[in-house]
Amino acid sequence: MTRCDLIVAGVGGQGILAIATTIAEAGLAAGLRVKQSEVHGMAQRGGAVQAHVRLSSETVWSDLIPKGAADLILSMEPMEALRYVPWLQPDGWLVANETPVQNMAAYPDLHAVRSAIGAWPRHVLFDASAVARKGGLPKAANMAVLGAAAPFLPLPAAVLEAGIRRRFACKGAAVAEANVMVFQAARTLAESIRRPASVGATHADR
Amino acid sequence: MSETVKLWLGDEAVAHGAMDAGISGVYGYPGTPSTEILECVQRHPRAVERNIHRQWSANEKTAYEEALGMSYAGCRALVTMKHVGLNVAADAFINSAVTGVNGGLVVAVADDPSMHSSQNEQDSRFYARFAMVPLLEPSNQQEAYDMTRRAFDCSEEFGLPVVVRLVTRLAHSRSGVHAVPPREENPLRLPEDRRQFVLLPANARRNYEQLLAKQPRVQALSETSPYNAFEDGSDGTMGVVVCGLAYNYLRECFPHGCPYPTVAIRQYPAPAELLRRLAGRVRRWLVIEEGAPFLEEQLRGMLPSGVEITGRMDGRLPRTGELSPDTVAAAFGLTLGSGAAVAQVVAARPPVLCAGCPHADSYRFITEVMKDHPHGRVFSDIGCYTLGALPPFDAIDSCVDMGAAITMAKGAADAGVRPALAVIGDSTFTHSGMTGLLDAVYEGTPITVVILDNGTTGMTGGQVSMGSGRFKEILRGLGVAEEHIRVVKPVRHEHERNVAILREEIAHKGVSVLVALRPCIHVTGKEA
């Protein structure tokens, strides 16, 4: 039986839904049952936003993931990754962009945030924004986070890449291909971090 | 993957279900979590090709009445709104049960338990019961599609409007849906009885008798509906009554089947026979429903003594807020998983006005002026600008219902509050602010209204705003004196001028209006 529950987290406006929908569509394309619960409305104005994505070879009942049951959290923002830890299994993976969105009066100490992520047994903390910039697409940090999550999803990378191409087809083949390149770069990075011992690591500061 | 499986939001499934049921029009006013229903029809290739009506209306009442007019003409119409929108449309809705309908008329209402984007968590099932019309409550996206089509069949069979109730967690959740071939639209067919829609008392009394006479058939359809089921279980120590989407949480707890005899309800009025059958099997019931304890309350009053009921009303399930797999599991004494606690370092991140938002500049000049008036008050309304209630602005004193900024300011001014300001968005003004402004104009009440005209219905994602850019004409037409209609531009370098203008208009002892005109940054794509 295949089964993967994940939470996509971030701040309204960061492209959370694009990540979630790309995964959910790839799940359908791979023949899995899918549910994807997402947030619209007021929270999209710079508030905390999350999507629950559930993939399974069996019927998916609840649209929401029970607490302690998620296999994976992927987050566009470091503090937002920590917000959903109650939903993560003790041996689940935490994949997060290290670049904060400081749109609030008192953003906590960034070092403390990164340390809390670093204390999670299985984690990938990396600079998704830098990966996107390097790929020439500064706004594609969400595709980098998707790429970093790819090694932990029960989906062939090729199916996800085909989904990215479809998503960006309207913007031309060159843009679509550049997004796929960002995805691939982050995926390679995450695979290098995910060591055989399955111990997470923080990607070294550049 | 089968080619026909589509990944649709619950909202989109309703839209496609209505399209494939052969609607000639959809009407509505945007409101989270219902907005994507009408937007989905707007994008639908067949809707474009056949010119299915798919424009937004000024408010939910006008939307409902327009849909009723289409139904009058024999065609099928879908009307969509959020739960509180049904309050606005309630007069038309309740009376349309008395007139009955001609072409199929379906009301898709999206409730918002937990108030993710709303002022209350009212449960639309009360409205359907109040109006004495059938209500369908899908538990998943496939049912949202299938049941919308069924709702049109019911509507035409009984000659009644039918409600499809969604909740946030279905409206905004995607899953695979199989669609079936579409059917044709109805031809134009006017009502045979020209008195049907004339609710003069004599006709209304006759129609009301007819509405009552339909009820046994409506009830019978619930008893035999494929969407209401008695599912037997091996453990008779407890029975379960589960409504709509809550069924998913029940099955999340018991993926291989619930051990307790269960009545699953997705069509109302509630199936009394199935419930009596459960009463014959078990005496202790758990009632699980998303929203209010609507059915629980009825059951507590209708069952033979000796049936013990537990649910939201006695705290077995939380009395407020949406359910989750975890709260339902706890009601059975189960735990589905165990997660870590949130790290202490995590802080709340409430929504904020976007960087460069014109509303922020408006609130800067408003708060500067109001600093000098500690006993003055700013009545506001529903939209992005409600975020002006939060720091750093702390600029507004009310947000109650669409349009209430102006009328509450008027009432407060009547009581002696000076200055009484109303801050209202362009779309909210045309929704139901402008009728209240007539009251103030007629009486010459000393209020100052600030219309934040950003050219769009922003909070719900940027829908058309029909008064935008034309407020000078509209205000003149409503009778506001020309010299007290002041158009200002909410930008930083106009701040001092805007402060001065607001001070002048506050000093006026009658109605004055500032139109703060600058497009939403999501419309222009750039900051000022």
Side-chain angles (χ1 to χ4, degrees), chain B residues 125-126 285-289 291-301 309-320 323 331:
Chain B
R125 292 178 298 169
F126 286 99
W285 293 15
L286 172 64
V287 184
I288 314 173
E289 48 194 329
F294 165 78
L295 187 59
E296 184 179 341
E297 210 169 56
Q298 291 176 49
L299 290 173
R300 283 175 186 269
I309 291 176
T310 182
R312 281 189 184 264
M313 292 180 75
D314 62 357
R316 179 82 167 254
L317 287 159
R319 175 61 184 82
T320 63
L323 298 171

Side-chain angles (χ1 to χ4, degrees), chain B residues 377-396:
Chain B
R377 285 295 182 266
V378 179
F379 300 89
S380 193
D381 227 300
I382 294 169
C384 289
Y385 52 94
T386 313
L387 295 170
L390 305 176
F393 305 106
D394 296 311
I396 63 171

Side-chain angles (χ1 to χ4, degrees), chain B residues 154-490:
Chain B
C154 285
S155 176
E156 294 189 345
E157 182 183 344
F158 293 116
L160 288 174
V162 173
V163 180
V164 173
R165 179 201 187 219
L166 301 176
V167 291
T168 304
R169 207 48 69 185
L170 176 57
H172 286 166
S173 178
R174 294 172 201 272
S175 193
V177 178
H178 292 269
V180 296
R183 74 174 165 205
E184 287 298 306
E185 292 173 52
N186 280 348
L188 201 67
R189 183 177 51 83
L190 294 169
E192 285 157 21
D193 174 6
R194 292 188 73 172
R195 293 178 307 166
Q196 180 191 343
F197 286 84
V198 185
L199 293 183
L200 276 169
N203 295 346
R205 282 190 284 268
R206 181 202 62 173
N207 282 15
Y208 188 55
E209 290 295 339
Q210 288 170 352
L211 173 59
L212 290 172
K214 288 173 186 172
Q215 296 304 308
R217 280 169 55 220
V218 172
Q219 180 69 46
L221 192 72
S222 273
E223 304 292 350
T224 56
S225 167
Y227 296 111
N228 291 333
F230 182 92
E231 297 172 5
D232 213 346
S234 53
D235 185 344
T237 58
M238 184 166 73
V240 178
V241 178
V242 62
C243 302
L245 176 100
Y247 185 78
N248 299 338
Y249 300 137
L250 177 72
R251 292 302 303 273
E252 187 73 23
C253 297
F254 303 107
H256 304 295
C258 178
Y260 309 110
T262 298
V263 175
I265 297 174
R266 299 180 191 95
Q267 178 165 348
Y268 302 79
E273 274 309 315
L274 296 183
L275 292 164
R276 278 194 276 270
R277 202 168 139 200
L278 185 67
R281 282 275 274 117
V282 280
R283 311 301 276 176
R284 284 182 60 235
W285 293 15
L286 172 64
V287 184
I288 314 173
E289 48 194 329
E290 188 64 295
F294 165 78
L295 187 59
E296 184 179 341
E297 210 169 56
Q298 291 176 49
L299 290 173
R300 283 175 186 269
M302 77 165 57
L303 287 173
S305 60
V307 176
E308 181 194 322
I309 291 176
T310 182
R312 281 189 184 264
M313 292 180 75
D314 62 357
R316 179 82 167 254
L317 287 159
R319 175 61 184 82
T320 63
E322 66 176 337
L323 298 171
S324 72
D326 304 300
T327 53
V328 171
F332 289 100
L334 302 172
T335 310
L336 297 174
S338 62
V342 184
Q344 282 195 335
V345 70
V346 176
R349 191 193 297 269
V352 289
L353 291 177
C354 305
C357 175
H359 300 333
D361 287 293
S362 291
Y363 280 130
R364 280 186 203 106
F365 77 75
I366 291 167
T367 48
E368 177 158 345
V369 170
M370 293 304 287
K371 260 193 323 218
D372 303 333
H373 301 281
H375 300 296
R377 285 295 182 266
V378 179
F379 300 89
S380 193
D381 227 300
I382 294 169
C384 289
Y385 52 94
T386 313
L387 295 170
L390 305 176
F393 305 106
D394 296 311
I396 63 171
D397 299 290
S398 76
C399 160
V400 180
D401 66 275
M402 294 286 284
I406 292 173
T407 31
M408 282 185 71
K410 182 194 177 289
D414 291 342
V417 173
R418 300 285 185 281
L421 257 63
V423 175
I424 186 167
D426 44 42
S427 186
T428 309
F429 182 80
T430 47
H431 177 285
S432 50
M434 53 198 251
T435 39
L437 186 58
L438 268 180
D439 294 347
V441 167
Y442 184 73
E443 294 183 37
T445 315
I447 62 169
T448 300
V449 179
V450 182
I451 300 176
L452 305 175
D453 183 2
N454 67 351
T456 189
T457 311
M459 177 99 278
T460 46
Q463 292 75 25
V464 66
S465 172
M466 40 184 82
S468 183
R470 300 191 293 118
F471 284 112
K472 273 180 92 159
E473 291 85 341
I474 292 171
L475 292 164
R476 249 187 254 131
L478 289 170
V480 180
E482 179 85 38
E483 62 273 25
H484 294 293
I485 302 172
R486 311 288 295 270
V487 178
V488 304
K489 189 173 187 195

Side-chain angles (χ1 to χ4, degrees), chain A residues 28 34-36, chain B residues 6-9 141 173-177:
Chain A
L28 269 193
V34 172
K35 278 194 175 174
Q36 177 197 327
Chain B
K6 307 285 187 197
L7 184 68
W8 281 338
L9 290 171
Q141 294 76 357
S173 178
R174 294 172 201 272
S175 193
V177 178

Side-chain angles (χ1 to χ4, degrees), chain A residues 8 15-25 36 38 51-53, chain B residues 7:
Chain A
V8 188
I16 314 303
L17 290 187
I19 300 177
T21 310
T22 304
I23 294 172
E25 280 174 348
Q36 177 197 327
E38 54 195 52
H52 288 214
V53 182
Chain B
L7 184 68

